[in-house]
Amino acid sequence: MQNPLLEIKFNTSYKCIPPLKETANAENWFDDVEGCGIQCQDPFYTEKEHDDVHTLIAFQAGLSFIACLVTVATFCLSSKGAKQYPAAIIFLINFCLTVVSVGCLIQFFPGARNIHNV
């Protein structure tokens, strides 16, 4: 019976092998591997799968932003009767969700996904 551990080959070229990539930034180095960091995109998924997830996030964050913004605007434009206790909580929740939606949408601004020093 042959031992499969005898067939293991180690990287002796001193170059980064996937999923690691070369980087000059020491903060991004993988533990105990000088000059190599983990790549940004998951190597288990194709470029199309990454794009599909990116589109799904943009769609859902956009819908969330619009819905919460309409609720906040309605509250701000409504009469003094809407300033009562239950309505104020709904306003605060939707205001917070609007801010979270903006946080999710920031990645879609031009240049937001460009990585420097990697």
Side-chain angles (χ1 to χ4, degrees):
M1 183 171 192
Q2 189 175 4
N3 187 350
L5 295 178
L6 294 175
E7 297 176 19
I8 295 177
K9 297 189 184 207
F10 293 97
N11 181 14
T12 57
S13 66
Y14 301 105
K15 292 186 179 182
C16 301
I17 57 172
L20 300 178
K21 286 187 108 172
E22 278 189 50
T23 178
N25 190 350
E27 293 177 4
N28 295 334
W29 288 352
F30 191 70
D31 293 338
D32 300 326
V33 183
E34 202 169 297
C36 295
I38 296 178
Q39 62 188 11
C40 295
Q41 289 191 338
D42 192 336
F44 293 113
Y45 299 106
T46 64
E47 188 69 32
K48 183 184 180 323
E49 289 171 329
H50 281 282
D51 290 341
D52 290 346
V53 170
H54 194 70
T55 302
L56 179 67
I57 292 171
F59 179 73
Q60 289 180 339
L63 282 179
S64 176
F65 176 75
I66 291 169
C68 292
L69 188 65
V70 166
T71 305
V72 169
T74 301
F75 181 83
C76 291
L77 297 175
S78 66
S79 65
K80 62 181 179 178
K83 307 273 190 272
Q84 296 172 355
Y85 180 70
I89 291 177
I90 293 172
F91 167 76
L92 290 174
I93 290 170
N94 279 285
F95 180 75
C96 291
L97 289 174
T98 302
V99 173
V100 169
S101 297
V102 169
C104 289
L105 290 170
I106 285 175
Q107 64 180 316
F108 301 104
F109 291 140
R113 288 184 159 242
N114 291 345
I115 299 173
H116 301 286
N117 298 326
V118 174

